[in-house]
Amino acid sequence: MTLSIEDLEGIARIEKDKRESFTYQINVCVAAGCLSCQSGVLKEAFEKEVSRRGWENWCSVKGVGCLGLCAAGPLISIQPDGTYYRGVGAPDVSEILESLGGAPIPRLDCASSRPFFEQQPKIVLENSGRIDPERIEDYIAEDGYKALYNALRMMRPSEVIEQVLASGLRGRGGAGFPTGVKWTAVAKASNGNKFVVCNADEGDPGAFMDRSILESDPHRVIEGMAVAAYAVGANTGFIYVRAEYPLAVQRVRTAISQARHLGVLGNNVFNSQFSFDINVRLGAGAFVCGEETALIASIEGRGGRPRPRPPFPAEFGLWGQPTLINNVETFANIPPIIRKGGKWFATIGTEKSKGTKVFALAGRVNNTGLIEVPMGTTLREIVFQIGGGIPGDRAFKAVQTGGPSGGCIPEQFLDMAVDYESLASVGSIMGSGGLIVMDDTSCMVDVAHFFMEFCMSESCGKCVPCRVGTSQIYHLLNRITKGEGKLSDLDMLEDLSDLLKNTSLCGLGQTAPNPIMSTLRYFRDEYVAHIEEKRCPAEACKIHEAREAV
Amino acid sequence: MKEPTSLTGKKLGNDANPARIFTMTIDNRLLTAREDETVLSVARQNGIYIPTLCHMEGLSLRGACRLCIVDVKGAPRVLPSCVTLARQDMEVVTNSDRVIEYRRKILELIFSERNHVCSVCVSNGHCDLQALATELGMTHVRYDYLYPKQLVDASHPRFSVDHNRCVLCMRCVRVCDEIEGAHTWDIMGRGITSRVITDLNQPWGSSETCTGCGKCVQVCPTGALSEKGKSVAEMTKRRQFLPYLQMMRGEGRK
């Protein structure tokens, strides 16, 4: 049996009719953040209460993907009212059901976080919090797999790539390489068995965009990969996802088996000549496996260590075959680009960075969670409007982007429009999208120390500058945070940072000094205070305790 | 350990696909190169010195020690010459100030990493690392020595491994896998805690895969792997077998 467009539209119609038969929909977030605060129990409580009252015919209870405001879980949204409730527990169920149709319950309402929900024009997360991630029908009702149909039946592979090129989409894994260009490289590679790999080995501390996309809308990634496979001429795909994301793994596996069952994965998809299947590979928790050549080694069953490039994976990838590797978020952008056209996508964002970016907003900010904003949004809007400012109205100090490969951006750049170039110009990177806000209680030396400890323990140990250099930098920073540093240590830090940046083998070592270099650039006085006055201005480092212990 | 054997990823030298010949300059000298040759091999053919540590003729390419870095015009950062292919009109500088400075710093990092004490080392006088320090003019180490606690495994009847001297070049791992075919050696751990191991971290003496051929000892650049019962003066490494074995295997494949 092959799937036809009529079948697809039939599924969508049935699903939509079913949705419209409900007057109210209660959407309970069942992504990992809310599940960890018992949203699963909450969903069951809603279901029981609705059926006890006999409201099943006009009130639906649905588990949905991430609603964004992760710190305030468990979250629910009530449609069509558009009310969001935070911190909901099983005892609140009756009260919420009673209030349907009336005024929202002020105690639970997210009214103060309105800008958080309203200022995000969503593309990647358009279905997150709206569809049930474990049902393919729900995705199809939102135009799911239409892009794949359009690509397979109405476009040549080169036309698909043209749309991606026209969209100006750049890799969302962090480096920002133009996606369309990467696709042309793999498409041009002449030899046989090509592969498409989805990099879901998200390892930055504090970042959870990819996890959330896979948990909330896994079919979107599968569809993006299938379109990519058609465009470059691949027949096999791999999703390399960290084993630390059990829920994402489970949902991706469910989604793949549903897609196979329906016929959007497998042989002769949509009655075309295109055949494609996806395998899941689990990463064992090495940060460096997010680097594409290390990821390839890991899928092949070897140790996850990078190799020098060139040859690039587009030429010599998995088992020596041409391989396309994109990040989860990059693939998630593909279906809307194919559906609505590359030109539409290119109208969003800045001149060189198109579309939107998903950020994991964390740290000292009121609305911690997952946000999606157009490229070119200023940091001030992100932190103070969407993020709702800093708890206790403390003073803003810096925002850290790009995780251990990124840098700290001080207050004077708050009005900077965020895109790949602007972040690079102030010594940070876009990275995969971690965004950590720091206030005056955060010590910048401590921040640098933390990230360098991370890089040191995650360095694969292959090349000397990264293996020994990160360790040396860590020891210098360790000394400074204990109040035992010397002023000459700062020169040594800069010196080693330059060495790592220029001579390391892969991106991990080349970008590992970024947190040091940016904090040295903007917060040198804090380093000097640690060294000369033996005090930590933010009182985060335990210099006094260390000295008393001696 | 299946790294790309040819950096271009294709077979060369048949009539349908003749190898292309380029001209390039290294240190302002006009030279020729075949398309599958690396900058390092072109330089060596012409007597231009580039220091190397992890590289070894006859073993797969690794590009990890970063001592063979060179400046290439137009490249965003310095490139390791052992894994950089020659290109038409490439302009390479092997001894620019920054390259020399970087090399020395990297060498000092290697010395700071473990306990390289030449005076009590069996390889004193014929050690690649020691020779590099002399050649690069290293007079002191500007970084703090890390002084890690490392073990010595002398359980093998004929050889011993002293992790204090290991620079993690992986020559032993590669020669054992690629030439001897035993794959007794591998690396465990990661980052600064990486360590070469035999047979899933069993003592070398109880290894079931080790053939006792001693190739790993011969390729080891330092005193990490040594033969038992040899004095400092005797502990020279004999590596002539490598190019010979490689060549004979190449002949056999034809």
Side-chain angles (χ1 to χ4, degrees):
Chain A
M1 183 208 86
T2 37
L3 192 70
S4 67
I5 187 71
E6 288 78 23
D7 298 337
L8 207 61
E9 280 168 353
I11 294 169
R13 202 168 41 243
I14 293 168
E15 190 64 27
K16 276 182 188 156
D17 287 348
K18 198 174 114 196
R19 272 190 216 169
E20 276 159 19
S21 69
F22 295 114
T23 320
Y24 286 102
Q25 293 175 20
I26 300 171
N27 293 344
V28 183
C29 173
V30 288
C34 287
L35 266 188
S36 68
C37 34
Q38 307 302 322
S39 74
V41 178
L42 179 68
K43 186 180 157 229
E44 270 173 32
F46 266 115
E47 279 164 352
K48 257 191 209 150
E49 185 64 18
V50 166
S51 77
R52 194 185 65 82
R53 293 175 183 226
W55 290 4
E56 293 104 325
N57 291 328
W58 58 276
C59 177
S60 75
V61 177
K62 186 159 82 169
V64 296
C66 185
L67 285 163
L69 195 59
C70 301
L75 289 162
I76 67 167
S77 86
I78 293 171
Q79 303 299 343
D81 294 3
T83 314
Y84 289 92
Y85 286 135
R86 58 193 294 164
V88 184
D92 306 320
V93 167
S94 295
E95 199 183 344
I96 289 168
L97 289 178
E98 292 294 334
S99 77
L100 286 181
I105 304 165
R107 179 168 59 88
L108 300 166
D109 195 17
C110 290
S112 60
S113 309
R114 277 275 157 207
F116 183 89
F117 293 105
E118 284 165 3
Q119 290 192 355
Q120 300 184 44
K122 293 183 172 178
I123 297 176
V124 172
L125 301 178
E126 60 183 352
N127 294 338
S128 290
R130 297 182 53 220
I131 65 163
D132 184 343
E134 299 190 347
R135 290 186 64 239
I136 192 170
E137 295 85 358
D138 226 3
Y139 178 66
I140 291 173
E142 300 288 337
D143 285 341
Y145 290 108
K146 241 188 194 153
L148 182 61
Y149 178 82
N150 289 351
L152 291 181
R153 297 303 300 269
M154 293 189 246
M155 295 160 95
R156 281 190 224 104
S158 61
E159 289 170 334
V160 174
I161 296 183
E162 268 167 37
Q163 289 302 320
V164 178
L165 278 170
S167 72
L169 175 67
R170 294 170 65 176
R172 295 292 192 249
F177 189 78
T179 307
V181 178
K182 203 183 233 182
W183 288 24
T184 56
V186 183
K188 273 182 185 168
S190 49
N191 42 338
N193 273 323
K194 297 180 187 173
F195 294 102
V196 169
V197 177
C198 173
N199 184 347
D201 190 60
E202 177 181 54
D204 293 8
F208 52 93
M209 299 75 51
D210 296 350
R211 189 198 76 203
S212 199
I213 293 168
L214 289 176
E215 283 173 1
S216 309
D217 200 1
H219 284 288
R220 162 179 297 264
V221 180
I222 293 172
E223 187 178 6
M225 286 178 73
V227 171
Y230 172 68
V232 303
N235 292 320
T236 310
F238 286 94
I239 297 180
Y240 187 86
V241 52
R242 327 172 55 185
E244 291 96 324
Y245 287 173
L247 186 64
V249 174
Q250 179 217 319
R251 291 209 172 136
V252 166
R253 284 190 167 144
T254 309
I256 290 173
S257 74
Q258 287 171 348
R260 278 183 194 147
H261 188 72
L262 198 67
V264 288
L265 285 181
N267 292 331
N268 304 96
V269 180
F270 288 121
N271 228 351
S272 71
Q273 302 210 335
F274 174 70
S275 301
F276 184 60
D277 201 8
I278 296 178
N279 302 293
V280 177
R281 286 286 182 278
L282 301 191
F287 178 63
V288 74
C289 285
E291 202 279 343
E292 54 184 14
T293 56
L295 188 152
I296 286 173
S298 178
I299 292 182
E300 289 176 358
R302 297 186 282 123
R305 295 188 191 88
R307 63 159 174 80
R309 301 176 301 176
F312 286 91
E315 198 184 341
F316 193 99
L318 262 183
W319 294 291
Q321 305 298 323
T323 303
L324 175 74
I325 303 183
N326 277 140
N327 173 264
V328 172
E329 197 185 330
T330 315
F331 282 125
N333 271 301
I334 298 299
I337 288 176
I338 302 299
R339 273 202 315 268
K340 300 181 190 172
K343 275 194 187 138
W344 159 80
F345 192 82
T347 57
I348 308 160
T350 63
E351 194 197 334
K352 285 188 170 169
S353 307
K354 302 296 185 191
T356 59
K357 180 77 193 87
V358 181
F359 287 107
L361 193 58
R364 305 288 295 164
V365 63
N366 279 318
N367 298 334
T368 307
L370 204 69
I371 62 165
E372 180 173 357
V373 291
M375 293 278 185
T377 308
T378 64
L379 284 171
R380 193 181 294 280
E381 285 172 74
I382 293 174
V383 176
F384 289 96
Q385 290 184 16
I386 298 173
I390 291 163
D393 283 325
R394 298 192 74 98
F396 171 90
K397 188 185 247 179
V399 49
Q400 210 277 351
T401 67
S405 316
C408 295
I409 302 167
E411 198 176 358
Q412 70 245 43
F413 298 115
L414 263 183
D415 290 308
M416 184 183 77
V418 173
D419 66 8
Y420 290 98
E421 276 73 28
S422 66
L423 287 174
S425 72
V426 297
S428 186
I429 62 162
M430 175 75 78
S432 56
L435 215 151
I436 301 167
V437 182
M438 292 173 241
D439 66 5
D440 54 3
T441 59
S442 317
C443 166
M444 303 316 280
V445 186
D446 191 43
V447 169
H449 180 254
F450 168 79
F451 281 117
M452 195 40 74
E453 184 174 11
F454 180 84
C455 287
M456 177 182 73
S457 57
E458 292 298 335
S459 163
C460 78
K462 181 166 179 175
C463 76
V464 176
C466 179
R467 182 178 76 226
V468 195
T470 51
S471 191
Q472 288 285 4
I473 295 180
Y474 170 76
H475 284 289
L476 286 172
L477 288 171
N478 208 8
R479 222 157 62 190
I480 296 174
T481 53
K482 280 186 185 154
E484 295 159 6
K486 299 178 291 225
L487 269 182
S488 61
D489 288 349
L490 297 186
D491 299 332
M492 190 72 98
L493 279 177
E494 281 173 343
D495 196 62
L496 275 167
S497 298
D498 175 64
L499 180 76
L500 257 71
K501 190 178 159 206
N502 283 296
T503 64
S504 294
L505 193 157
C506 79
L508 195 158
Q510 287 160 10
T511 57
N514 280 352
I516 320 293
M517 291 199 290
S518 66
T519 48
L520 266 176
R521 188 160 144 197
Y522 302 119
F523 301 97
R524 202 181 182 92
D525 52 327
E526 290 196 19
Y527 282 86
V528 174
H530 279 79
I531 294 167
E532 296 223 301
E533 301 164 34
K534 310 266 180 245
R535 70 179 182 91
C536 174
E539 291 175 357
C541 303
K542 310 280 185 240
I543 292 182
H544 286 287
E545 286 175 26
R547 252 191 284 163
E548 275 157 25
V550 172
Chain B
M1 199 44 43
K2 295 292 171 280
E3 303 275 322
T5 42
S6 151
L7 284 173
T8 51
K10 62 175 184 178
K11 280 192 186 129
L12 289 170
N14 54 32
D15 292 341
N17 189 15
R20 296 179 56 201
I21 309 293
F22 300 139
T23 55
M24 61 185 292
T25 64
I26 301 182
D27 296 343
N28 288 324
R29 277 176 62 189
L30 187 62
L31 305 167
T32 60
R34 210 173 55 218
E35 64 173 318
D36 62 334
E37 285 181 321
T38 61
V39 172
L40 178 70
S41 64
V42 176
R44 291 215 165 144
Q45 288 158 25
N46 293 283
I48 298 168
Y49 172 73
I50 298 176
T52 54
L53 181 60
C54 70
H55 178 82
M56 171 134 260
E57 209 65 49
L59 297 181
S60 63
L61 304 171
R62 187 163 143 80
C65 73
R66 318 306 276 183
L67 283 169
C68 67
I69 48 172
V70 290
D71 257 322
V72 177
K73 194 179 169 191
R77 52 176 68 86
V78 291
L79 298 177
S81 61
C82 68
V83 290
T84 303
L85 283 172
R87 282 196 321 268
Q88 180 64 35
D89 298 330
M90 197 177 200
E91 290 177 36
V92 180
V93 180
T94 65
N95 52 7
S96 67
D97 289 346
R98 73 163 182 165
V99 161
I100 289 175
E101 195 54 26
Y102 282 150
R103 280 183 196 148
R104 196 172 301 164
K105 284 177 189 164
I106 291 168
L107 192 65
E108 287 175 29
L109 282 178
I110 297 174
F111 271 95
S112 77
E113 184 187 9
R114 294 204 177 174
N115 308 311
H116 295 284
V117 190
C118 297
S119 54
V120 292
C121 178
V122 69
S123 279
N124 190 6
H126 18 252
C127 166
D128 289 5
L129 188 66
Q130 196 181 37
L132 276 169
T134 319
E135 282 157 14
L136 300 187
M138 190 189 98
T139 52
H140 66 288
V141 174
R142 71 195 80 183
Y143 310 109
D144 290 345
Y145 288 102
L146 299 178
Y147 296 124
K149 280 203 178 75
Q150 295 288 350
L151 300 172
V152 177
D153 176 1
S155 58
H156 194 277
R158 286 166 52 213
F159 313 116
S160 66
V161 50
D162 181 355
H163 294 286
N164 291 294
R165 314 277 191 248
C166 178
V167 293
L168 295 168
C169 66
M170 271 179 80
R171 284 185 190 180
C172 52
V173 179
R174 284 177 287 164
V175 80
C176 189
D177 177 44
E178 296 162 14
I179 305 296
E180 180 62 14
H183 203 137
T184 301
W185 290 102
D186 214 319
I187 299 255
M188 72 174 266
R190 69 176 175 229
I192 197 81
T193 57
S194 312
R195 193 156 65 79
V196 289
I197 51 165
T198 44
D199 273 10
L200 301 173
N201 202 20
Q202 296 304 302
W204 194 1
S206 62
S207 164
E208 289 176 1
T209 56
C210 178
T211 60
C213 71
K215 290 190 178 73
C216 49
V217 177
Q218 302 306 331
V219 296
C220 179
T222 67
L225 297 176
S226 59
E227 284 175 56
K228 284 184 177 171
K230 286 219 169 163
S231 71
V232 174
E234 291 170 317
M235 193 52 241
T236 50
K237 304 283 170 86
R238 300 179 305 276
R239 292 169 189 157
Q240 301 85 334
F241 69 94
L242 252 179
Y244 171 73
L245 278 177
Q246 276 289 26
M247 188 186 76
M248 292 314 285
R249 285 189 186 174
E251 291 291 317
R253 275 194 214 104
K254 275 183 187 165

